[in-house]
Amino acid sequence: MFQKILIANRGEIALRVLRACKELGIQTVVVHSTADSDAMHVRLADESVCIGPPPSRESYLNIHQIVAACEITGADAVHPGYGFLSENAKFADILAAHNITFIGPSGDHIRIMGDKIEAKRTAKRLGIPVVPGSDGAISDEKEAKRVAAEIGYPVIIKASAGGGGRGMKVARTEADLEVALQTAKSEAGAAFGDDAVYIEKYLEKPRHIELQVFGDGAGRGVHFGERDCSLQRRHQKVWEEANSPALNAEERARIGGICAKAIADLGYSGAGTIEFLYENGEFYFIEMNTRLQVEHPVTEAITGIDLVHEQIRVASGGGLSVRQEDIKFNGHAIECRINAEDPRTFTPSPGTITHFHTPGGLGIRVDSGVYSGYRIPPYYDSLIGKLIVHGRNRVECMMRLRRALDEFVVDGIKTTLPLFRDLVGNPDIANGDYDIHWLEKYLANED
Ligand code: ADP
């Protein structure tokens, strides 16, 4: 087991990882920018190292500084959290070259899945169902038209280097295709420095369902069931559930089995998430994330397994603590992402939190690094906390969620809490009857 883990992140996820380390009796080091000197994870860690000024590029993304912090403190492993360097293959390689363990998969697996075209090819080879579309990058309009005619309109053009919902354009007819192709290419080039794009069938009313998987790096793979993340705004997840209201146990076992086998065949090590769109009873792979997800707590709530403990065990060579048959799904869990944003326009609302009170009681978990008097720096993403509620079934979970939202107090800034208070009372949400476009339509009708 590791002696000392360096946590290369900030906010609620840094605290989340720190808690797991403490439980396992592992010493912790956190790195932070000058804007985060008073952050909770810095206060609670055994050691902290300031690695630079506020902009992420000069601190949380500064590989050189992070490796230096490992050497100074003698950390033998790094947990990257999510975002920042968590899916940076070069970072994983550099740590390996310094004999520091990256708590995550190999640089090669990160590289394959980071390139969406390569990821889709690999998924197909491993027997995972994919969205019909082009085999690789689209070189010109002629090829785009040929592929689109083959799979049928509407189609979506997506950036191979994509992430965060950027660089995607829908074409409903052949007449839209030229503009969609050009805009997707230029957006991708500007955002990712790589303008390779591919085409796939645009699904009209899918749900976003993702499978939590784990590999032990030695040919064993398991799945921890699915999460339904269909409630999205601008392709960003807002509310997540486990299990999905749309799946039954047979469907779960079927797609879970396919994913676990793929992970085993790939020789994958650590946590991963295989994301699908789900429509008319069919799964269509869209991408794989090679890291812990923001929404992992809903899976922890229904399985009772600490996924960060598992990540650390696997990375240290101790293997998985569970076999597939040990993983049971109990009840229902929902997570609400609480952002420091206007609940209607979603514009960021940084500032000082004058009062912060979290709900409590059975089945309630709040993962947050903020506190009363905390000043939210304007440099980073606006997630200030996650409310995770567990109940014996979905109805109990929703009742408990409504109560927890009433108790939650965040004063001094705007947050997305009022949106969740509306959603929890909505009949479609109560029935679990929503797809990936539901929230955008709901918000548009509110105006
Ligand atoms: P990113 O890496 O940018 O998040 P994804 O490929 O994961 O991109 O897609 C993000 C979201 O975009 C999906 O959850 C879904 O809402 C939408 N999307 C992606 N591909 C399609 C498709 N083929 N049809 C319909 N919607 C899609």
Side-chain angles (χ1 to χ4, degrees):
M1 191 44 90
F2 304 120
Q3 298 295 311
K4 198 185 265 190
I5 291 178
L6 182 140
I7 301 165
N9 215 301
R10 64 178 302 282
E12 68 86 20
I13 195 61
L15 195 56
R16 163 74 190 90
V17 174
L18 192 133
R19 286 174 172 148
C21 294
K22 286 203 172 201
E23 287 174 11
L24 295 172
I26 300 169
Q27 292 284 304
T28 51
V29 183
V30 296
V31 290
H32 65 91
S33 73
T34 50
D36 280 339
S37 311
D38 57 355
M40 191 63 99
H41 70 281
V42 177
R43 293 186 184 188
L44 292 179
D46 296 307
E47 290 171 76
S48 62
V49 182
C50 181
I51 51 164
S56 306
R57 210 171 309 114
E58 296 172 54
S59 49
Y60 296 103
L61 292 172
N62 187 331
I63 295 179
H64 180 75
Q65 288 285 21
I66 294 170
V67 173
C70 289
E71 310 241 284
I72 294 165
T73 56
D76 45 10
V78 171
H79 195 301
Y82 52 69
F84 293 131
L85 295 169
S86 61
E87 290 177 295
N88 186 312
K90 193 172 120 205
F91 182 53
D93 290 345
I94 290 174
L95 288 179
H98 283 78
N99 280 325
I100 302 163
T101 306
F102 175 75
I103 302 178
S106 68
D108 287 344
H109 283 153
I110 298 175
R111 224 168 257 117
I112 292 173
M113 295 304 169
D115 175 327
K116 292 183 150 197
I117 291 176
E118 196 51 42
K120 212 171 153 182
R121 238 182 237 138
T122 307
K124 212 169 165 180
R125 178 170 62 75
L126 293 167
I128 297 174
V130 302
V131 192
S134 56
D135 276 334
I138 288 287
S139 51
D140 55 28
E141 204 192 321
K142 206 170 132 216
E143 191 186 355
K145 282 187 177 160
R146 184 182 55 73
V147 175
E150 231 170 75
I151 58 178
Y153 288 90
V155 297
I156 183 166
I157 301 166
K158 298 170 71 172
S160 185
R166 284 172 304 171
M168 284 188 266
K169 285 284 164 279
V170 177
R172 299 217 156 255
T173 62
E174 194 174 286
D176 299 342
L177 198 59
E178 188 183 344
V179 177
L181 185 67
Q182 289 320 322
T183 350
K185 260 186 172 307
S186 59
E187 265 187 39
F192 313 110
D194 172 0
D195 73 352
V197 295
Y198 61 106
I199 290 195
E200 62 191 29
K201 176 89 190 147
Y202 180 71
L203 301 167
E204 297 278 7
K205 283 174 162 277
R207 299 182 80 108
H208 174 115
I209 295 183
E210 58 185 36
L211 269 287
Q212 175 70 58
V213 291
F214 252 90
D216 69 354
R220 228 158 58 83
V222 295
H223 74 90
F224 286 77
E226 83 284 5
R227 294 182 284 261
D228 194 317
C229 315
S230 302
L231 285 177
Q232 302 180 352
R233 188 194 147 263
R234 295 208 186 129
H235 305 306
Q236 306 261 21
K237 299 161 190 168
V238 169
W239 154 308
E240 301 101 345
E241 312 196 25
N243 300 313
S244 167
L247 287 199
N248 60 34
E250 289 82 63
E251 286 176 293
R252 174 168 312 114
R254 183 176 70 83
I255 192 69
I258 291 173
C259 291
K261 181 173 182 303
I263 285 307
D265 291 349
L266 196 58
Y268 187 84
S269 174
T273 298
I274 305 185
E275 297 193 338
F276 294 94
L277 295 177
Y278 174 80
E279 193 174 69
N280 301 328
E282 298 291 336
F283 286 91
Y284 302 97
F285 170 89
I286 45 172
E287 68 165 342
M288 175 169 177
N289 292 323
T290 52
R291 55 166 168 85
L292 193 68
Q293 305 266 115
V294 177
E295 59 273 22
H296 76 278
V298 290
T299 301
E300 295 184 324
I302 63 159
T303 60
I305 297 165
D306 186 311
L307 297 179
V308 180
H309 283 187
E310 292 302 315
Q311 285 190 296
I312 294 172
R313 272 184 66 113
V314 168
S316 71
L320 286 160
S321 76
V322 284
R323 291 161 304 171
Q324 190 65 59
E325 55 270 34
D326 302 325
I327 302 168
K328 304 270 188 269
F329 306 108
N330 295 310
H332 195 89
I334 295 175
E335 173 181 280
C336 298
R337 294 192 190 196
I338 300 161
N339 288 351
E341 289 172 355
D342 181 289
R344 285 288 170 258
T345 62
F346 298 90
T347 41
S349 172
T352 300
I353 297 176
T354 51
H355 187 63
F356 188 71
H357 174 80
T358 56
L362 182 64
I364 307 289
R365 167 175 174 181
V366 177
D367 276 20
S368 172
V370 309
Y371 49 85
S372 293
Y374 177 75
R375 195 176 50 79
I376 302 167
Y379 312 101
Y380 312 109
D381 80 32
S382 53
L383 182 75
I384 56 161
K386 307 182 304 203
L387 168 64
I388 304 104
V389 177
H390 183 233
R392 285 174 301 174
N393 50 52
R394 193 167 185 274
V395 172
E396 187 177 82
C397 185
M398 292 283 282
M399 282 162 41
R400 192 164 280 157
L401 176 59
R402 184 194 293 256
R403 185 274 288 172
L405 286 165
D406 281 348
E407 274 179 46
F408 216 131
V409 181
V410 186
D411 286 340
I413 55 158
K414 289 181 185 168
T415 74
T416 45
L417 279 167
L419 170 67
F420 296 117
R421 292 186 185 120
D422 288 347
L423 291 179
V424 80
N426 184 283
D428 286 348
I429 303 298
N431 294 330
D433 184 14
Y434 55 83
D435 60 38
I436 60 168
H437 305 297
W438 188 95
L439 185 58
E440 299 258 357
K441 282 188 203 140
Y442 171 81
L443 292 167
N445 291 338
E446 289 273 288
D447 292 341

